[in-house]
Amino acid sequence: MSASLCGRTIVVTGAGSGIGLGVLKAAQAAGATVVGIDYTEAAKEVIAGQGACAVSADVREPDALRAAIHEARDRTGRLDGVVNNAGLTLTAPFLEADVEMWDQLWLTNQRSVLIGCQTAAQIMVKDQTRGSLVNIASVHATASDHTYEAYAGTKGAIRAMGQSMAWSLGPHGIRVNTLSPGLTLTEAVAKAAKDPALDTLFQSWHADATVPKVEELAQVAVFLLSDQSVVLNGTEIVADKGTVARLCNVGG
């Protein structure tokens, strides 16, 4: 039986493209009313084009993100789940990386998740709603590479924060889980894969030699939002078709 989100309101940040847009579509297909948060007019048009509510906010701005989540609750009458998906990927040689880059990664990837979860949880507790928070991390939280030091740190923090939040919010009936994708076939990855050499490389990272699709990953997010995952709290699902399993066993 497919996971159902009928009668629920789900908020997705960074919903105008890539994984966020995939989650938005999948949640709608599962019966949810979805509010997409993004910060460009083009992104808002994409969200609205899917028949979802579009709210403008830069997740790096605490007041704007809080206001957007409250607006989602006010416009739909309830709040049952949030997918903190908005994120930024910046890399640089560690000896040359600067604080400005680190701050941008922290504000976008880590602090926005804290604020998004706290704001949503405050609303759910006040409304006495049993909810689900899903935070998008990355395989870099477990198996990373050079130049990714700051990025990997923010993604590892998401996993650690989720474990702690599970105990803070569990007594209120709110679950917090982490979804860590590997390489996913977003528009940018599909464009890069047109290069035969890169296509072969990407395939080699996956046990079945296929790159996970956005739609496939989005179904995992819907599962975590639904009652089918009621026993999962404070856990991480690594959705990478075996990438981390191989990297962690190289030379073993």
Side-chain angles (χ1 to χ4, degrees):
M1 182 174 66
S2 299
S4 173
L5 299 177
C6 288
R8 303 185 187 186
T9 293
I10 305 297
V11 170
V12 182
T13 68
S17 63
I19 291 172
L21 180 58
V23 172
L24 182 152
K25 292 178 180 178
Q28 284 182 314
T33 296
V34 183
V35 178
I37 296 176
D38 219 311
Y39 71 99
T40 68
E41 287 302 316
K44 287 178 61 180
E45 289 178 7
V46 170
I47 294 167
Q50 296 298 320
C53 298
V55 178
S56 179
D58 184 338
V59 299
R60 295 171 298 183
E61 300 294 335
D63 290 344
L65 179 54
R66 290 189 186 102
I69 295 173
H70 277 279
E71 182 178 344
R73 159 63 177 83
D74 293 342
R75 288 175 64 173
T76 63
R78 59 184 300 122
L79 179 64
D80 301 276
V82 173
V83 180
N84 287 297
N85 163 77
L88 180 67
T89 304
L90 295 174
T91 63
F94 184 62
L95 297 178
E96 301 170 16
D98 57 40
V99 171
E100 182 179 357
M101 185 189 85
W102 294 343
D103 283 348
Q104 287 305 308
L105 285 167
W106 178 68
L107 292 173
T108 308
N109 295 0
Q110 184 176 350
R111 192 178 73 173
S112 73
V113 173
L114 277 170
I115 293 169
C117 286
Q118 184 190 55
T119 304
Q122 288 168 341
I123 293 171
M124 291 173 184
V125 170
K126 182 178 180 180
D127 290 348
Q128 296 185 325
T129 299
R130 301 179 70 85
S132 176
L133 306 177
V134 179
N135 300 323
I136 306 298
S138 166
V139 294
H140 283 275
T142 301
S144 196
D145 201 354
H146 68 291
T147 76
Y148 282 87
E149 291 83 5
Y151 175 81
T154 62
K155 295 301 184 178
I158 289 174
R159 179 177 61 187
M161 293 188 306
Q163 292 172 339
S164 184
M165 288 180 202
W167 281 94
S168 295
L169 301 179
H172 299 283
I174 301 169
R175 298 183 295 112
V176 186
N177 291 294
T178 301
L179 175 54
S180 293
L183 184 73
T184 306
L185 200 60
T186 60
E187 299 92 331
V189 172
K191 182 177 180 180
K194 291 181 180 180
D195 180 333
L198 284 178
D199 187 36
T200 299
L201 177 64
F202 294 163
Q203 291 179 33
S204 73
W205 293 346
H206 303 94
D208 67 355
T210 65
V211 178
K213 298 176 182 177
V214 170
E215 296 81 4
E216 295 168 336
L217 184 70
Q219 290 302 321
V220 183
V222 169
F223 166 72
L224 289 173
L225 290 166
S226 77
D227 290 342
Q228 287 191 0
S229 62
V230 68
V231 298
L232 299 183
N233 195 12
T235 194
E236 177 190 25
I237 293 180
V238 179
D240 68 346
K241 291 193 173 184
T243 301
V244 166
R246 177 161 186 183
L247 290 174
C248 288
N249 286 284
V250 171

